[in-house]
Amino acid sequence: MPERDVMLTVLAATVVLAPLVTALGLGLFAFLSEVPSERATHRIVIVAMVTSILSLLSLVVLVLTSGEPYLEVDFGPWFHVGHYEFEIAFLLDELSLGYGFTVAAIGLLIARFAIRYLHREEGYARFFILLCLAMAGLETVALAASYDVLFLGWEIVGVSSVTMVLFFHTRPGPVRASLLVLVSYRIADLGLLVGAVVLHQAAGTTEYEAIFEHGAWPGGATHIDVTTAAIVGLLLLLSASGKSAQLPFSSWLPRAMEGPTPSSALFYGALSIHAGIFLLLRSAPLFAHAPVVRGALIAVGGCTAMYAALVGRVQSDAKGQMAYATMAQLGVMLVEIGFGFVTLAALHLVAHAFLRGFQLLRAPSVIADVRRIQAELKDRPLPSDNAIERALPITWARWLYRHALERFYLDTLAYRVVLRPILRVSEMLAAADAAALQILVREPAPATTEPGSPIPPPAIAKAFEGDGSNKPTGTRA
Amino acid sequence: MSNSAPLWIALLPFLGALVVLLEGRIRSASPPSPIDSGETTQRAELVRWSAVITLAAALVLSLLAIFAGTLETHFEAPPLVLPFGTWQARLTIDGASSIVLPTFLLAALIAILAAPRRALDARSTAIALGTLGSGLFVAMAMDSVTLALGWTLGAALPISAAAGKRTPSRRAVVVFRTLRVVLLVLGLALAVVGAVQADLERPFELSAVTSPELPFAMATLVLVTLAALARMAAFPFHVWLVPFVDEASPLLFAVSFAANVGLVLFLRVALPLASALIDDAVPFVAVVGLVTALHAALRALSEQRLRRLIALVVGSQLGTILVGAAALRDQAATGAMVGVASVAFGATGLLLVASAVEFRVGSVNVRMGTSSPRAGVTTGLSAAMPRASLAWFVLAFAVVGIPGSLAFVAEDLVLHGLLHAHPIFAVLALLASVLNAVTLFRAGASLFLGTPSRTFAVPDLLLRERVALVVVALLLFGVGLAPHRLVTAATSAAHSLAGVVEVEHHGAPEHLR
């Protein structure tokens, strides 16, 4: 193996393994022995993250000096059966390195911020362990050379994201919110998993290089037939919608802000939330071939942007407003990809990740900021941003206001159309089993629930129904 | 060349059971100790280590036979000439059994190592060991008599664990266990009668029993398939599962359900007959597997008792494994066999956490959607048992197939194989997996997180329990990250199965290759 290839392999592996091994090591130590001290935890984590970012920068230099538009790093098959191989490989091009660097840089900044912000918090070590796990997952998503490998990182990001929502796990709100996030993620993950397998069927591989015919991003084309491209594209859109909180999966994002500020910034402002957009950017050559998917991208993105802009205007808390603002921007990115402006969408992604990450980190200081602005303005009024509302007829404005407050009843609809029937079927099956047992033994069957207590709707239902905790206490409409 | 290694592997758990029982007799005959708690501790530890030593010996022996190749893997007893043919007890380690043996032994070993002392009374431990030994006989049997004996013992021993209890639940378990014994014994008896009628020299051999040309072959196929489905608690034979898990000790549940030999029976006896006799038989089994996977996953969504919930999720995963095995594609069959190992380890780990919690705080019910404590519902345990909480979530994610886990490898392979055979089945099997993930997460969130339902003055996991759970996690993730050896063994086993075909590499245009 040439020296450059060895170096590439070691560096690419280090980008992912440094945070991953740190997370696993710290977790194992905490489980078998005791929770490591704050100082030890953050020092180890910062070293791992600096190692990761330096490795990434070295990769950037190697790619730039190679004279080639992209390089591929092959780690060999994970497992194989017959003709099927699960190949582990990374693709180093401007998109993967750009997103990878954004992830590493913002991750490092947030880790540095959290050292002070979470000082003496009970879950200090837990936060840093999950941060490292998320970084490993996000870097895998960024550098993956195939949909198979991307899925590995995708799932790790999902698990760390759900677990991070549970940071304040003694409160009921985060517990319900985490379940909602998990349900949304798992349903959306089906899209990526099935999409990857359909690609295996259609193209015999999920490697970008083969599917997009060795074209450097954002170029490249595919000879996959239009129907398959459309099916795969729609499945990928489903998956991206789940991860990036686009309709119909938009409910989880505001509720996921239950975690500490650094985790909100990391997952729901800056990085994890953009993973869906990254997936779509990576798959852009596939969409060029499937106008149906491009139409769906524009429709989903446009509707989400409108929905989020309207609902966001009636939120009274800073984090809630930022959640909807993020959702709206991501919707715009979907529209950009749908129209084929992928470079613009990529730039939009990076700029938005840094801006929103910064805004969320500043969120705890927003009241102080407003007071300072008011002090500066003295007697002058605050600039108004409700020109659009004033331009609308009053009946329209009231209608929009009421529906925006109720998030356009999407949560209720999801509960009534999807979740409640599933839960009812589940309860009916339990009753049928109990009846079958009763017939068999001719005596009362063991109770499924506590005697005298009705089966309450599980947290999924509760979370979808909403408990009022996310409703605004004041309005600006 | 014959070697006694397979016989010893299956006999060692029985030997362990005997030692444990004898030791229990001697102890109970001796005068009571003035310090009762010390006496109980000592007794439990003696039971534990007697069982551990015999299981470790069986495990080492099986690993030597499988990997080192230093031992021949066939055992043949002296032939017994009967009026209607010759019977020779035969055991072998091949294909599926090479995966099942170390997996089941390891799972049992871990379960015993971590079991709370109060759960380790001589009688129930001996029964669990005997049940395990019976399962090993079934996994290695190459003749119908040994198979039927192992099968019958494996069904009868757990019944004797609750001897004296006459609860409705127990009656249901007895009915279904009797049914599965009757089904298999009748099926094998018909096959032997057919072989005798056909004048075969060795009518008891499994190779003779699985011959499709014999009379009664179809009846044998139906009966054996039903017996295997009943063993796996497949729909509609699932009714015994909930009452069983209510009464069985975690150890017994681990060795008799999580470590399930129903699949081995299906692969070894039913599949050769099915692939030769009728084309539609295998899709029928796949449908049953799929219905089982979805039914159990849906049913678990509204289950509030922790043990039942784990049992239902395990049942659902066994259903998915059945779908993979019945798809008759090498990838799916390989995934099914890897899945057997994943389910055995994962279920053992989850049961260990559940039993650790139950032995500290009593029977556990889970419920979500409320912040206020309600009677019978345990919430907020993570404050008292943070390590148990961590172990639950790690194992739950491993069981539902987070990347890097063994379950992911199994699921990926089953999915790829299924998409070639029955694409809709693949999507529905994935749905079951999604539901199982939600169920396990919901259970963990309800039990460990939220406001504590009361003050829990209980210790967290002991070092022994922690080490056992780390071993389970290492098996799930270690073998998951480096699955080459296991997948190779499973592939070779899959290729040796009747009717299983290699998935063609198709669909890729030339320019994409």
Side-chain angles (χ1 to χ4, degrees):
Chain A
M1 191 187 267
E3 198 176 322
R4 192 193 70 168
D5 288 356
V6 175
M7 198 184 286
L8 273 174
T9 309
V10 172
L11 288 171
T14 307
V15 172
V16 173
L17 287 181
L20 185 64
V21 171
T22 304
L24 296 180
L26 286 173
L28 205 59
F29 182 78
F31 186 74
L32 284 174
S33 178
E34 57 185 24
V35 178
S37 70
E38 285 192 5
R39 179 171 293 189
T41 303
H42 70 240
R43 281 189 177 174
I44 293 169
V45 169
I46 294 288
V47 167
M49 294 183 78
V50 169
T51 308
S52 178
I53 200 168
L54 288 178
S55 305
L56 199 70
L57 287 172
S58 310
L59 287 175
V60 173
V61 172
L62 282 173
V63 173
L64 287 177
T65 54
S66 71
E68 294 173 41
Y70 66 87
L71 294 173
E72 188 163 320
V73 184
D74 196 348
F75 297 98
W78 179 11
F79 56 88
H80 64 92
V81 174
H83 296 293
Y84 169 58
E85 269 191 359
F86 197 117
E87 192 78 25
I88 304 285
F90 284 168
L91 183 75
L92 309 174
D93 64 358
E94 58 184 82
L95 180 67
S96 65
L97 291 172
Y99 185 59
F101 180 76
T102 307
V103 166
I106 294 179
L108 185 60
L109 288 173
I110 288 173
R112 186 67 195 83
F113 177 88
I115 292 173
R116 286 197 175 199
Y117 189 83
L118 293 176
H119 177 51
R120 293 192 176 175
E121 275 286 352
E122 196 189 343
Y124 188 89
R126 184 155 33 96
F127 172 84
F128 281 96
I129 290 170
L130 291 174
L131 174 69
C132 282
L133 200 61
M135 297 312 291
L138 284 162
E139 291 294 1
T140 308
V141 168
L143 302 182
S146 66
Y147 289 103
D148 285 344
V149 178
L150 186 141
F151 185 74
L152 301 183
W154 190 266
E155 288 282 280
I156 294 171
V157 172
V159 167
S160 48
S161 170
V162 167
T163 323
M164 196 66 102
V165 177
L166 286 169
F167 188 83
F168 300 114
H169 58 84
T170 51
R171 298 180 198 161
V175 178
R176 286 202 294 267
S178 68
L179 196 61
L180 182 62
V181 177
L182 179 90
V183 172
S184 305
Y185 276 4
R186 289 300 293 189
I187 294 171
D189 291 350
L190 281 180
L192 182 54
L193 194 57
V194 178
V197 180
V198 172
L199 270 176
H200 263 292
Q201 291 273 85
T205 179
T206 63
E207 285 184 31
Y208 310 139
E209 196 184 22
I211 292 171
F212 303 136
E213 302 200 321
H214 310 279
W217 189 90
T222 179
H223 279 80
I224 293 173
D225 64 277
V226 176
T227 313
T228 309
I231 291 170
V232 173
L234 290 174
L235 286 166
L236 295 179
L237 174 59
L238 170 80
S239 207
S241 299
K243 205 62 138 195
S244 293
Q246 299 296 289
L247 288 174
F249 299 103
S250 50
S251 309
W252 67 261
L253 183 59
R255 293 188 173 96
M257 296 290 183
E258 297 272 9
T261 293
S263 90
S264 301
L266 179 80
F267 285 97
Y268 315 115
L271 299 178
S272 165
I273 194 80
H274 289 98
I277 305 297
F278 176 81
L279 172 68
L280 296 176
L281 283 172
R282 180 54 88 192
S283 314
L286 198 68
F287 306 146
H289 203 48
V292 175
V293 183
R294 295 178 69 168
L297 280 166
I298 294 164
V300 171
C303 289
T304 307
M306 286 294 292
Y307 165 83
L310 288 167
V311 178
R313 293 185 80 80
V314 299
Q315 301 300 307
S316 59
D317 61 304
K319 272 189 167 184
Q321 284 183 4
M322 274 186 250
Y324 282 102
T326 302
M327 209 186 285
Q329 289 296 318
L330 295 171
V332 173
M333 287 178 213
L334 243 68
V335 174
E336 289 164 359
I337 297 169
F339 279 117
F341 303 131
V342 283
T343 309
L344 174 67
L347 290 172
H348 192 169
L349 185 157
V350 174
H352 183 252
F354 276 102
L355 173 74
R356 202 63 73 189
F358 170 75
Q359 277 186 336
L360 275 160
L361 290 182
R362 286 289 301 165
S365 316
V366 73
I367 295 170
D369 287 352
V370 169
R371 285 193 180 145
R372 204 173 57 244
I373 292 166
Q374 280 174 334
E376 292 289 328
L377 288 169
K378 292 184 181 160
D379 294 335
R380 281 172 292 168
L382 277 167
S384 169
D385 61 348
N386 59 356
I388 298 169
E389 285 92 330
R390 275 183 291 171
L392 285 172
I394 188 70
T395 47
W396 289 26
R398 279 182 185 161
W399 186 89
L400 279 174
Y401 172 65
R402 197 174 67 245
H403 283 73
L405 268 183
E406 295 294 340
R407 293 184 285 264
F408 290 88
Y409 301 98
L410 283 183
D411 298 356
T412 315
L413 194 69
Y415 170 62
R416 287 191 182 162
V417 176
V418 182
L419 286 166
R420 194 163 63 182
I422 291 176
L423 294 172
R424 284 215 172 138
V425 168
S426 175
E427 287 164 16
M428 280 162 58
L429 290 176
D433 279 0
L437 196 63
Q438 201 174 0
I439 292 166
L440 196 73
V441 299
R442 293 179 191 168
E443 280 182 45
T448 305
T449 57
E450 284 298 303
S453 64
I455 299 174
I460 329 165
K462 187 90 177 171
F464 267 80
E465 279 178 322
D467 57 355
S469 58
N470 291 298
K471 287 181 183 173
T473 48
T475 64
R476 296 191 307 146
Chain B
M1 185 182 151
S2 176
N3 192 288
S4 56
L7 181 67
W8 278 110
I9 291 167
L11 280 182
L12 274 167
F14 283 105
L15 193 66
L18 203 65
V19 170
V20 163
L21 277 178
L22 281 175
E23 200 276 328
R25 284 275 169 88
I26 293 165
R27 288 269 158 186
S28 58
S30 62
S33 163
I35 310 163
D36 196 40
S37 60
E39 175 77 9
T40 313
T41 305
Q42 202 182 358
R43 194 176 291 181
E45 289 304 327
L46 269 170
V47 167
R48 189 195 309 280
W49 290 106
S50 306
V52 163
I53 288 166
T54 46
L55 288 183
L59 178 66
V60 169
L61 208 53
S62 68
L63 290 175
L64 278 173
I66 293 162
F67 293 112
T70 53
L71 297 170
E72 287 290 324
T73 52
H74 303 287
F75 165 76
E76 291 177 351
L80 186 64
V81 181
L82 299 169
F84 46 82
T86 305
W87 169 52
Q88 187 175 25
R90 288 181 61 215
L91 296 170
T92 189
I93 302 174
D94 67 341
S97 58
S98 69
I99 293 164
V100 161
L101 292 182
T103 300
F104 290 4
L105 283 165
L106 248 175
L109 195 60
I110 292 164
I112 287 178
L113 263 175
R117 288 195 185 107
R118 272 186 290 164
L120 284 177
D121 65 288
R123 186 183 156 78
S124 61
T125 309
I127 286 169
L129 289 174
T131 308
L132 176 69
S134 313
L136 299 183
F137 266 114
V138 172
M140 292 187 287
M142 292 304 286
D143 70 283
S144 47
V145 177
T146 311
L147 178 62
L149 279 175
W151 190 262
T152 309
L153 259 181
L157 282 172
I159 294 173
S160 65
K165 291 183 193 171
R166 292 200 177 277
T167 57
S169 304
R170 192 170 163 263
R171 209 175 302 159
V173 175
V174 171
V175 167
F176 275 94
R177 283 182 179 269
T178 311
L179 177 70
R180 84 179 190 221
V181 169
V182 169
L183 286 169
L184 184 80
V185 171
L186 199 62
L188 291 178
L190 281 174
V192 171
V193 169
V196 169
Q197 280 182 2
D199 280 337
L200 293 183
E201 194 189 340
R202 290 171 180 259
F204 295 99
E205 297 282 301
L206 275 193
S207 53
V209 167
T210 54
S211 172
E213 292 89 23
L214 294 180
F216 314 120
M218 180 62 82
T220 302
L221 166 64
V222 172
L223 292 168
V224 172
T225 304
L226 291 177
L229 294 178
R231 180 72 177 82
M232 296 177 82
F235 188 88
F237 298 103
H238 64 284
V239 182
W240 65 268
L241 185 57
V242 163
F244 172 63
V245 77
D246 278 348
E247 297 209 339
S249 69
L251 177 59
L252 186 59
F253 182 80
V255 298
S256 71
F257 185 65
N260 203 305
V261 286
L263 185 76
V264 181
L265 179 72
F266 174 74
L267 294 176
R268 188 162 279 170
V269 185
L271 204 57
L273 284 171
S275 57
L277 285 173
I278 30 174
D279 292 340
D280 291 341
V282 172
F284 167 74
V285 175
V287 169
V288 172
L290 187 65
V291 171
T292 305
L294 283 169
H295 172 273
L298 273 168
R299 169 81 174 73
L301 269 182
S302 63
E303 184 53 67
Q304 295 174 1
R305 296 198 182 164
L306 191 62
R307 275 164 167 241
R308 291 184 188 179
L309 187 140
I310 296 171
L312 287 165
V313 169
V314 174
S316 169
Q317 294 200 314
L318 285 174
T320 307
I321 287 172
L322 194 60
V323 182
L328 292 183
R329 299 294 185 280
D330 60 345
Q331 290 167 5
T334 304
M337 286 190 214
V338 174
V340 169
S342 161
V343 167
F345 294 138
T348 304
L350 288 175
L351 277 168
L352 287 181
V353 179
S355 64
V357 169
E358 285 185 343
F359 271 90
R360 285 163 173 81
V361 301
S363 178
V364 173
N365 278 8
V366 287
R367 183 177 292 162
M368 286 286 287
T370 174
S371 57
S372 59
R374 285 192 193 177
V377 177
T378 310
T379 57
L381 251 181
S382 71
M385 302 182 71
R387 289 189 176 94
S389 165
L390 174 64
W392 175 274
F393 284 108
V394 169
L395 290 171
F397 283 126
V399 164
V400 298
I402 188 183
S405 69
L406 200 52
F408 177 83
V409 178
E411 209 172 85
D412 189 66
L413 289 172
V414 167
L415 186 65
H416 275 273
L418 270 181
L419 264 167
H420 283 89
H422 315 286
I424 299 296
F425 283 27
V427 176
L428 292 175
L430 272 175
L431 267 181
S433 166
V434 169
L435 293 175
N436 288 334
V438 172
T439 300
L440 287 180
F441 187 81
R442 182 203 121 200
S446 167
L447 179 62
F448 293 107
L449 311 176
T451 316
S453 49
R454 59 184 165 92
T455 309
F456 296 106
V458 291
D460 199 358
L461 296 177
L462 304 174
L463 183 64
R464 185 187 67 231
E465 293 167 323
R466 276 182 262 163
V467 170
L469 288 168
V470 166
V471 171
V472 173
L474 286 178
L475 282 168
L476 286 169
F477 286 104
V479 183
L481 286 169
H484 179 69
R485 222 162 173 161
L486 179 64
V487 170
T488 306
T491 309
S492 121
H495 284 149
S496 70
L497 293 172
V500 170
V501 294
E502 196 172 335
V503 172
E504 291 289 320
H505 188 259
H506 69 93
E510 199 55 43
H511 65 273
L512 289 180
R513 291 184 188 175

